[in-house]
Coordinates of all heavy atoms in Angstrom, one line a residue:
M5 N 209.5 246.0 113.3 CA 210.7 245.2 113.5 C 210.7 244.0 112.5 O 209.7 243.3 112.4 CB 210.8 244.6 114.9 CG 210.9 245.7 116.0 SD 211.0 245.0 117.6 CE 212.7 244.8 117.8
A6 N 211.8 243.8 111.8 CA 211.8 242.8 110.8 C 213.3 242.3 110.6 O 214.2 243.2 110.7 CB 211.3 243.2 109.4
T7 N 213.5 241.1 110.3 CA 214.8 240.6 110.1 C 215.3 241.1 108.8 O 214.6 241.2 107.8 CB 214.8 239.0 110.1 OG1 214.4 238.6 111.3 CG2 216.2 238.5 109.8
F8 N 216.6 241.5 108.7 CA 217.2 242.1 107.6 C 218.6 241.5 107.4 O 219.4 241.6 108.3 CB 217.3 243.7 107.8 CG 217.6 244.4 106.5 CD1 216.7 244.8 105.6 CD2 219.0 244.7 106.3 CE1 217.0 245.5 104.5 CE2 219.3 245.4 105.1 CZ 218.3 245.8 104.2
P9 N 218.9 240.9 106.2 CA 220.2 240.2 106.0 C 221.2 241.2 105.5 O 221.0 242.0 104.6 CB 219.8 239.2 105.0 CG 218.7 239.8 104.2 CD 217.9 240.6 105.2
I10 N 222.4 241.2 106.1 CA 223.5 242.0 105.6 C 224.7 241.0 105.5 O 224.8 240.0 106.1 CB 223.9 243.2 106.6 CG1 224.2 242.7 108.0 CG2 222.7 244.2 106.6 CD1 225.6 242.8 108.3
M11 N 225.7 241.4 104.7 CA 226.9 240.7 104.6 C 228.0 241.4 105.4 O 228.2 242.6 105.3 CB 227.4 240.6 103.1 CG 226.4 239.9 102.2 SD 226.1 238.2 102.6 CE 227.6 237.5 102.2
S12 N 228.6 240.7 106.4 CA 229.6 241.3 107.3 C 231.0 241.0 106.8 O 231.4 239.9 106.7 CB 229.4 240.6 108.7 OG 230.5 241.0 109.5
N13 N 231.7 242.1 106.5 CA 233.1 242.0 106.1 C 233.9 242.6 107.3 O 234.1 243.8 107.4 CB 233.3 242.9 104.8 CG 234.8 242.8 104.4 OD1 235.5 241.9 104.6 ND2 235.2 243.9 103.7
F14 N 234.2 241.7 108.2 CA 234.7 242.1 109.5 C 236.3 242.3 109.4 O 236.9 241.5 108.8 CB 234.4 241.1 110.6 CG 234.5 241.6 112.0 CD1 233.3 242.0 112.6 CD2 235.7 241.6 112.7 CE1 233.4 242.5 113.9 CE2 235.7 242.1 113.9 CZ 234.6 242.5 114.6
E15 N 236.8 243.4 109.9 CA 238.2 243.7 109.8 C 239.0 242.6 110.4 O 238.7 242.1 111.4 CB 238.5 245.0 110.6 CG 239.9 245.5 110.5 CD 240.2 246.8 111.2 OE1 239.3 247.4 111.7 OE2 241.4 247.2 111.1
R16 N 240.0 242.2 109.6 CA 241.0 241.1 110.0 C 240.4 239.7 109.9 O 241.0 238.8 110.3 CB 241.6 241.4 111.4 CG 242.3 242.7 111.5 CD 242.9 242.9 112.9 NE 243.4 244.2 113.0 CZ 244.6 244.6 113.0 NH1 245.6 243.7 112.8 NH2 245.0 245.8 113.2
D17 N 239.2 239.6 109.4 CA 238.6 238.3 109.1 C 238.7 238.0 107.6 O 238.6 238.9 106.8 CB 237.1 238.3 109.6 CG 236.6 236.9 109.8 OD1 237.2 235.9 109.3 OD2 235.5 236.8 110.4
F18 N 238.9 236.8 107.3 CA 239.0 236.4 105.9 C 237.7 235.8 105.3 O 237.6 235.4 104.2 CB 240.2 235.4 105.6 CG 240.0 234.1 106.4 CD1 239.4 233.0 105.8 CD2 240.5 233.9 107.7 CE1 239.2 231.8 106.5 CE2 240.4 232.7 108.3 CZ 239.7 231.7 107.8
V19 N 236.7 235.8 106.2 CA 235.4 235.2 105.8 C 234.3 236.4 105.8 O 234.2 237.1 106.7 CB 234.9 234.1 106.8 CG1 233.5 233.6 106.4 CG2 235.9 233.0 106.9
I20 N 233.6 236.5 104.7 CA 232.5 237.4 104.6 C 231.2 236.5 105.0 O 231.0 235.5 104.4 CB 232.3 238.1 103.3 CG1 233.5 239.0 103.0 CG2 231.0 238.8 103.2 CD1 233.6 239.6 101.7
Q21 N 230.4 237.0 105.9 CA 229.4 236.2 106.4 C 228.0 236.9 106.3 O 227.9 238.1 106.4 CB 229.6 235.9 107.9 CG 230.9 235.2 108.1 CD 231.1 234.8 109.6 OE1 230.7 233.7 110.0 NE2 231.6 235.8 110.3
L22 N 227.0 236.1 106.1 CA 225.6 236.6 106.0 C 225.1 236.6 107.5 O 225.2 235.6 108.2 CB 224.7 235.7 105.2 CG 223.3 236.0 105.1 CD1 223.1 237.4 104.4 CD2 222.5 235.0 104.4
V23 N 224.7 237.8 108.0 CA 224.3 238.0 109.3 C 222.9 238.6 109.4 O 222.7 239.7 108.7 CB 225.3 238.9 110.1 CG1 224.8 239.2 111.5 CG2 226.7 238.3 110.1
P24 N 222.0 238.0 110.1 CA 220.7 238.6 110.2 C 220.7 239.7 111.3 O 221.1 239.4 112.4 CB 219.8 237.4 110.6 CG 220.7 236.5 111.3 CD 222.0 236.7 110.7
V25 N 220.2 240.8 110.9 CA 220.0 241.9 111.9 C 218.6 242.3 111.9 O 217.8 241.8 111.1 CB 221.0 243.1 111.6 CG1 222.4 242.7 111.7 CG2 220.7 243.7 110.3
D26 N 218.2 243.2 112.7 CA 216.8 243.7 112.8 C 216.8 245.1 112.2 O 217.7 245.9 112.4 CB 216.3 243.7 114.2 CG 214.8 243.9 114.3 OD1 214.4 245.1 114.2 OD2 214.1 242.9 114.3
T27 N 215.7 245.5 111.6 CA 215.5 246.8 111.0 C 215.6 247.9 112.0 O 215.9 249.0 111.7 CB 214.2 246.9 110.2 OG1 213.1 246.6 111.0 CG2 214.3 246.0 108.9
E28 N 215.3 247.6 113.3 CA 215.4 248.6 114.4 C 216.7 248.5 115.2 O 216.8 249.3 116.1 CB 214.2 248.3 115.3 CG 212.8 248.5 114.7 CD 212.7 249.9 114.0 OE1 212.9 250.9 114.7 OE2 212.3 250.0 112.9
D29 N 217.6 247.7 114.8 CA 218.9 247.7 115.4 C 219.7 249.0 115.1 O 219.7 249.5 113.9 CB 219.8 246.5 114.9 CG 219.4 245.2 115.5 OD1 218.6 245.2 116.5 OD2 219.8 244.1 115.0
T30 N 220.5 249.4 116.1 CA 221.4 250.5 115.8 C 222.7 250.0 115.2 O 222.9 248.8 115.2 CB 221.8 251.3 117.1 OG1 222.6 250.3 117.9 CG2 220.6 251.8 117.9
M31 N 223.5 250.8 114.6 CA 224.7 250.4 114.0 C 225.6 249.8 115.1 O 226.4 248.8 114.8 CB 225.4 251.5 113.3 CG 224.7 252.0 112.0 SD 224.5 250.6 110.9 CE 223.1 251.1 110.0
D32 N 225.6 250.2 116.3 CA 226.4 249.5 117.4 C 225.9 248.1 117.6 O 226.7 247.2 117.8 CB 226.2 250.3 118.7 CG 227.2 251.5 118.8 OD1 228.1 251.6 117.9 OD2 227.2 252.2 119.8
Q33 N 224.6 247.9 117.5 CA 224.0 246.5 117.6 C 224.4 245.7 116.4 O 224.7 244.5 116.6 CB 222.5 246.6 117.8 CG 222.1 247.2 119.2 CD 220.6 247.4 119.3 OE1 220.0 248.1 118.4 NE2 220.0 247.0 120.3
V34 N 224.4 246.3 115.2 CA 224.8 245.5 114.0 C 226.3 245.1 114.2 O 226.6 243.9 114.0 CB 224.7 246.4 112.8 CG1 225.3 245.8 111.6 CG2 223.2 246.7 112.5
A35 N 227.1 246.0 114.7 CA 228.5 245.7 114.9 C 228.7 244.5 115.9 O 229.5 243.6 115.7 CB 229.3 246.9 115.4
E36 N 227.9 244.6 117.0 CA 227.9 243.5 118.0 C 227.5 242.2 117.4 O 228.1 241.1 117.7 CB 227.0 243.8 119.2 CG 227.5 245.0 120.0 CD 226.5 245.3 121.1 OE1 225.6 244.5 121.5 OE2 226.5 246.5 121.5
K37 N 226.5 242.2 116.6 CA 226.0 240.9 116.0 C 227.0 240.3 115.0 O 227.2 239.1 115.0 CB 224.6 241.1 115.3 CG 223.5 241.3 116.3 CD 222.2 241.6 115.6 CE 221.1 241.7 116.7 NZ 219.7 241.9 116.1
C38 N 227.7 241.2 114.3 CA 228.7 240.8 113.4 C 229.9 240.3 114.2 O 230.6 239.3 113.8 CB 229.1 241.9 112.4 SG 227.8 242.3 111.3
A39 N 230.3 241.0 115.2 CA 231.4 240.6 116.1 C 231.3 239.2 116.6 O 232.2 238.4 116.7 CB 231.6 241.6 117.2
Y40 N 230.0 238.8 117.0 CA 229.8 237.5 117.5 C 230.3 236.4 116.6 O 230.8 235.4 117.1 CB 228.3 237.3 117.8 CG 227.9 235.9 118.2 CD1 228.0 235.5 119.5 CD2 227.4 235.0 117.3 CE1 227.7 234.2 119.9 CE2 227.1 233.7 117.6 CZ 227.2 233.3 119.0 OH 226.9 232.0 119.3
H41 N 230.2 236.6 115.3 CA 230.6 235.6 114.4 C 232.1 235.6 114.0 O 232.6 234.7 113.3 CB 229.8 235.7 113.1 CG 228.3 235.5 113.3 ND1 227.8 234.3 113.5 CD2 227.3 236.4 113.4 CE1 226.5 234.4 113.8 NE2 226.2 235.7 113.7
S42 N 232.8 236.7 114.4 CA 234.2 236.8 114.0 C 235.2 236.9 115.2 O 236.2 236.2 115.2 CB 234.4 238.1 113.2 OG 233.7 238.0 112.0
I43 N 234.9 237.7 116.2 CA 235.8 237.9 117.4 C 235.9 236.6 118.2 O 234.9 235.9 118.5 CB 235.4 239.1 118.2 CG1 235.6 240.3 117.4 CG2 236.2 239.1 119.6 CD1 235.4 241.6 118.2
N44 N 237.1 236.2 118.6 CA 237.4 235.0 119.3 C 237.2 233.7 118.4 O 237.2 232.6 118.9 CB 236.7 234.9 120.6 CG 237.2 235.8 121.6 OD1 238.4 236.1 121.7 ND2 236.3 236.5 122.4
R45 N 237.0 233.9 117.2 CA 236.9 232.8 116.2 C 238.1 232.9 115.3 O 238.9 232.0 115.2 CB 235.6 232.8 115.5 CG 234.4 232.5 116.4 CD 233.1 232.7 115.7 NE 232.0 232.8 116.7 CZ 231.1 231.8 116.9 NH1 231.2 230.7 116.3 NH2 230.2 232.0 117.8
R46 N 238.1 234.0 114.5 CA 239.2 234.2 113.6 C 239.9 235.6 113.8 O 240.9 235.9 113.2 CB 238.7 234.1 112.1 CG 238.3 232.7 111.7 CD 237.6 232.7 110.4 NE 236.4 233.6 110.4 CZ 235.2 233.3 110.9 NH1 235.0 232.1 111.4 NH2 234.2 234.1 110.9
V47 N 239.3 236.4 114.7 CA 239.8 237.8 114.9 C 240.0 237.9 116.4 O 239.2 237.5 117.2 CB 238.7 238.8 114.5 CG1 239.2 240.2 114.8 CG2 238.4 238.7 113.0
H48 N 241.2 238.5 116.8 CA 241.5 238.7 118.2 C 240.7 239.9 118.7 O 240.6 240.9 117.9 CB 243.0 239.0 118.4 CG 243.8 237.8 118.1 ND1 243.8 236.7 119.0 CD2 244.7 237.4 117.1 CE1 244.7 235.8 118.5 NE2 245.2 236.2 117.4
P49 N 240.2 239.9 119.9 CA 239.5 241.0 120.4 C 240.4 242.2 120.6 O 241.6 242.1 120.8 CB 238.9 240.6 121.8 CG 239.6 239.3 122.1 CD 240.2 238.8 120.8
Q50 N 239.9 243.4 120.5 CA 240.6 244.7 120.7 C 239.8 245.5 121.7 O 239.1 246.4 121.2 CB 240.9 245.4 119.4 CG 241.8 244.6 118.5 CD 242.2 245.4 117.3 OE1 242.4 246.6 117.4 NE2 242.3 244.8 116.1
P51 N 239.8 245.2 123.0 CA 238.9 245.8 123.9 C 239.1 247.3 124.0 O 238.2 248.1 124.5 CB 239.1 245.1 125.2 CG 240.4 244.4 125.1 CD 240.6 244.2 123.6
E52 N 240.2 247.8 123.7 CA 240.5 249.3 123.8 C 239.9 250.0 122.6 O 240.0 251.3 122.6 CB 242.0 249.5 123.9 CG 242.8 249.3 122.6 CD 243.1 247.8 122.3 OE1 242.7 246.9 123.0 OE2 243.7 247.5 121.2
K53 N 239.4 249.3 121.6 CA 238.8 250.0 120.4 C 237.3 249.8 120.4 O 236.7 249.0 121.1 CB 239.3 249.3 119.2 CG 240.8 249.2 119.0 CD 241.4 250.4 118.4 CE 242.9 250.2 118.2 NZ 243.4 251.4 117.5
I54 N 236.6 250.7 119.6 CA 235.2 250.5 119.4 C 235.0 250.0 118.0 O 235.8 250.2 117.1 CB 234.4 251.9 119.6 CG1 235.0 253.0 118.6 CG2 234.5 252.3 121.0 CD1 234.1 254.2 118.6
L55 N 233.9 249.4 117.8 CA 233.5 248.8 116.5 C 232.6 249.9 115.8 O 231.7 250.4 116.4 CB 232.8 247.5 116.6 CG 233.6 246.3 117.1 CD1 232.8 245.1 117.3 CD2 234.8 246.0 116.1
R56 N 232.9 250.1 114.5 CA 232.1 251.0 113.7 C 231.7 250.3 112.4 O 232.3 249.3 112.0 CB 232.9 252.3 113.3 CG 233.3 253.2 114.5 CD 232.1 253.8 115.2 NE 231.2 254.6 114.3 CZ 231.3 255.9 114.1 NH1 232.3 256.5 114.6 NH2 230.5 256.5 113.3
V57 N 230.6 250.7 111.9 CA 230.0 250.1 110.7 C 230.1 251.2 109.5 O 229.8 252.3 109.7 CB 228.5 249.8 110.9 CG1 227.9 249.2 109.6 CG2 228.4 248.8 112.0
R58 N 230.6 250.7 108.4 CA 230.7 251.6 107.2 C 230.2 250.8 106.0 O 230.3 249.5 105.9 CB 232.1 252.1 107.0 CG 233.1 251.2 106.5 CD 234.4 251.8 106.3 NE 235.4 250.8 105.9 CZ 236.7 250.9 106.0 NH1 237.2 251.9 106.6 NH2 237.4 249.9 105.6
R59 N 229.7 251.5 105.0 CA 229.2 250.9 103.8 C 230.5 250.5 103.0 O 231.3 251.3 102.7 CB 228.4 251.9 103.0 CG 227.7 251.3 101.8 CD 227.0 252.4 100.9 NE 226.1 253.2 101.7 CZ 224.8 253.0 101.9 NH1 224.2 251.9 101.4 NH2 224.1 253.8 102.6
H60 N 230.5 249.3 102.6 CA 231.6 248.7 101.8 C 231.8 249.4 100.5 O 232.9 249.7 100.0 CB 231.5 247.2 101.6 CG 232.6 246.6 100.9 ND1 233.8 246.3 101.5 CD2 232.7 246.1 99.6 CE1 234.6 245.8 100.6 NE2 234.0 245.6 99.5
E61 N 230.7 249.7 99.8 CA 230.7 250.2 98.5 C 231.4 251.6 98.4 O 232.1 251.9 97.4 CB 229.3 250.3 98.0 CG 229.1 250.6 96.5 CD 227.6 250.5 96.1 OE1 227.1 249.4 96.1 OE2 227.1 251.6 95.8
D62 N 231.1 252.5 99.3 CA 231.7 253.8 99.2 C 232.4 254.4 100.5 O 232.8 255.5 100.5 CB 230.6 254.8 98.8 CG 229.4 254.9 99.8 OD1 229.6 254.4 101.0 OD2 228.4 255.6 99.5
G63 N 232.5 253.5 101.5 CA 233.2 253.9 102.7 C 232.5 254.8 103.6 O 233.0 255.3 104.6
T64 N 231.2 255.0 103.4 CA 230.4 255.9 104.3 C 230.4 255.3 105.7 O 230.0 254.1 105.9 CB 228.9 256.0 103.8 OG1 228.9 256.6 102.5 CG2 228.1 256.9 104.7
L65 N 230.8 256.1 106.7 CA 230.8 255.6 108.1 C 229.4 256.0 108.7 O 229.0 257.2 108.7 CB 231.9 256.3 108.9 CG 232.2 255.8 110.2 CD1 232.7 254.3 110.2 CD2 233.3 256.7 110.9
F66 N 228.7 255.0 109.2 CA 227.3 255.3 109.7 C 227.4 255.8 111.2 O 228.3 255.3 111.9 CB 226.5 254.0 109.7 CG 226.1 253.6 108.3 CD1 226.7 252.5 107.7 CD2 225.2 254.3 107.5 CE1 226.4 252.0 106.5 CE2 224.8 253.8 106.3 CZ 225.5 252.7 105.7
P67 N 226.6 256.7 111.6 CA 226.5 257.1 113.0 C 226.2 255.9 113.8 O 225.4 255.1 113.4 CB 225.4 258.2 113.0 CG 225.3 258.7 111.6 CD 225.6 257.5 110.7
R68 N 226.8 255.8 115.0 CA 226.6 254.7 115.9 C 225.1 254.4 116.3 O 224.7 253.3 116.4 CB 227.5 254.8 117.1 CG 229.0 254.8 116.7 CD 229.8 255.0 117.9 NE 229.7 254.0 118.9 CZ 230.1 254.0 120.1 NH1 230.8 255.1 120.5 NH2 229.9 253.1 121.0
G69 N 224.4 255.5 116.4 CA 223.0 255.4 116.9 C 222.0 255.2 115.7 O 220.8 255.0 116.0
M70 N 222.4 255.3 114.5 CA 221.5 255.2 113.3 C 220.9 253.8 113.3 O 221.6 252.8 113.5 CB 222.2 255.5 112.0 CG 221.4 255.3 110.8 SD 222.3 255.6 109.3 CE 222.0 257.4 109.2
I71 N 219.6 253.7 113.0 CA 219.0 252.3 112.9 C 219.1 251.9 111.4 O 219.1 252.7 110.5 CB 217.6 252.3 113.5 CG1 216.7 253.2 112.7 CG2 217.6 252.6 115.0 CD1 215.2 253.0 113.2
V72 N 219.0 250.6 111.3 CA 219.1 249.9 110.0 C 218.1 250.5 109.0 O 218.4 250.8 107.9 CB 219.0 248.4 110.1 CG1 218.9 247.7 108.8 CG2 220.2 247.8 110.9
S73 N 216.9 250.6 109.4 CA 215.8 251.1 108.5 C 216.0 252.5 108.0 O 215.5 252.9 107.0 CB 214.4 251.0 109.2 OG 214.4 251.8 110.3
D74 N 216.9 253.3 108.7 CA 217.1 254.7 108.3 C 218.4 254.8 107.4 O 218.7 255.9 106.9 CB 217.3 255.6 109.5 CG 216.0 255.8 110.2 OD1 214.9 255.6 109.6 OD2 216.0 256.2 111.4
A75 N 219.1 253.7 107.3 CA 220.5 253.7 106.6 C 220.4 253.6 105.1 O 221.4 253.8 104.4 CB 221.4 252.6 107.2
G76 N 219.2 253.2 104.6 CA 219.1 253.1 103.1 C 219.9 251.9 102.6 O 220.3 251.9 101.4
L77 N 220.0 250.8 103.4 CA 220.7 249.6 102.9 C 219.8 248.7 102.1 O 218.6 248.7 102.2 CB 221.1 248.8 104.2 CG 222.1 249.5 105.1 CD1 222.2 248.7 106.4 CD2 223.4 249.8 104.5
R78 N 220.4 248.0 101.2 CA 219.8 246.9 100.4 C 220.0 245.6 101.1 O 221.0 245.4 101.7 CB 220.3 246.9 99.0 CG 220.2 248.2 98.2 CD 220.9 248.1 96.9 NE 222.2 247.6 96.8 CZ 223.3 248.3 97.0 NH1 223.3 249.6 97.2 NH2 224.5 247.7 96.9
P79 N 219.0 244.7 101.0 CA 219.2 243.3 101.6 C 220.5 242.7 101.0 O 220.8 242.8 99.8 CB 218.0 242.6 101.2 CG 216.9 243.6 100.9 CD 217.7 244.8 100.4
T80 N 221.2 242.1 101.9 CA 222.5 241.4 101.6 C 223.6 242.4 101.2 O 224.7 242.0 100.7 CB 222.4 240.3 100.6 OG1 222.1 240.8 99.3 CG2 221.4 239.2 101.0
E81 N 223.4 243.7 101.4 CA 224.5 244.6 101.2 C 225.7 244.4 102.1 O 225.5 244.0 103.2 CB 224.0 246.1 101.4 CG 225.1 247.1 101.0 CD 224.5 248.5 100.9 OE1 223.3 248.7 101.0 OE2 225.3 249.4 100.8
T82 N 226.9 244.6 101.6 CA 228.1 244.3 102.4 C 228.4 245.5 103.2 O 228.5 246.7 102.7 CB 229.3 244.0 101.5 OG1 229.0 242.8 100.7 CG2 230.6 243.7 102.3
L83 N 228.6 245.3 104.5 CA 229.1 246.3 105.5 C 230.4 245.9 106.0 O 230.7 244.8 106.4 CB 228.0 246.5 106.6 CG 226.6 246.8 106.2 CD1 225.7 246.9 107.4 CD2 226.6 248.2 105.5
D84 N 231.3 246.9 106.1 CA 232.6 246.7 106.8 C 232.4 247.0 108.3 O 231.8 248.0 108.6 CB 233.7 247.6 106.2 CG 233.9 247.5 104.8 OD1 233.8 246.3 104.3 OD2 234.2 248.4 104.1
I85 N 232.9 246.1 109.1 CA 232.9 246.3 110.6 C 234.4 246.5 110.9 O 235.2 245.7 110.7 CB 232.3 245.1 111.3 CG1 231.0 244.6 110.7 CG2 232.2 245.5 112.8 CD1 229.9 245.7 110.6
I86 N 234.7 247.7 111.4 CA 236.1 248.1 111.6 C 236.3 248.5 113.1 O 235.5 249.0 113.8 CB 236.5 249.2 110.7 CG1 235.6 250.5 110.9 CG2 236.4 248.8 109.2 CD1 236.1 251.7 110.1
F87 N 237.6 248.3 113.5 CA 238.0 248.8 114.8 C 238.5 250.2 114.7 O 239.2 250.6 113.8 CB 239.2 247.9 115.3 CG 238.9 246.5 115.6 CD1 239.2 245.5 114.7 CD2 238.2 246.2 116.8 CE1 239.0 244.2 115.0 CE2 238.0 244.9 117.1 CZ 238.3 243.9 116.2
M88 N 238.1 251.1 115.6 CA 238.5 252.5 115.7 C 238.8 252.9 117.1 O 238.3 252.3 118.0 CB 237.4 253.4 115.1 CG 237.1 253.2 113.6 SD 235.9 254.4 113.0 CE 237.1 255.8 112.8
D89 N 239.7 253.9 117.2 CA 240.0 254.5 118.5 C 238.7 255.1 119.1 O 237.9 255.6 118.3 CB 241.1 255.5 118.4 CG 242.4 254.8 118.1 OD1 242.6 253.7 118.5 OD2 243.2 255.4 117.3
N90 N 238.6 255.1 120.4 CA 237.5 255.8 121.1 C 237.5 257.3 120.8 O 238.4 258.0 120.6 CB 237.6 255.6 122.6 CG 237.2 254.2 122.9 OD1 236.4 253.5 122.2 ND2 237.8 253.7 124.0

């Protein structure tokens, strides 16, 4: 387990933020950590939707259970956190 910095580009937010996650976090946990800094601050919650993580560079949608250390991410890489239907 190690802290790993990512850049969060959260849907409907105008701020890109540096968010520390853990190398053993799942993509669902990454989305939750990013949501903490955006939802109810600059982004309205959408409880009927789920949050998903995708690579900003090429749009790859990561499986929800994939852990950070298996995703091939670079430190401070930008990830899009998006709302999706269940």
Side-chain angles (χ1 to χ4, degrees):
M5 299 177 92
T7 301
F8 190 87
I10 57 106
M11 299 301 289
S12 170
N13 183 28
F14 203 94
E15 183 175 3
R16 301 177 191 258
D17 198 346
F18 62 90
V19 177
I20 295 178
Q21 299 182 97
L22 180 64
V23 177
V25 298
D26 192 277
T27 55
E28 297 302 310
D29 284 346
T30 66
M31 290 300 154
D32 276 355
Q33 290 170 311
V34 170
E36 288 174 25
K37 288 179 178 183
C38 294
Y40 173 81
H41 298 284
S42 294
I43 291 184
N44 288 320
R45 295 172 193 254
R46 293 169 303 279
V47 177
H48 292 289
Q50 295 187 38
E52 71 284 358
K53 305 277 186 173
I54 58 170
L55 292 173
R56 296 294 305 271
V57 179
R58 72 178 176 204
R59 188 185 309 267
H60 182 76
E61 190 173 292
D62 62 11
T64 300
L65 192 62
F66 293 106
R68 294 176 62 193
M70 177 180 273
I71 62 172
V72 171
S73 62
D74 291 340
L77 299 172
R78 299 177 313 272
T80 70
E81 185 167 351
T82 301
L83 299 178
D84 299 326
I85 313 303
I86 59 173
F87 292 103
M88 294 188 78
D89 292 325
N90 288 329

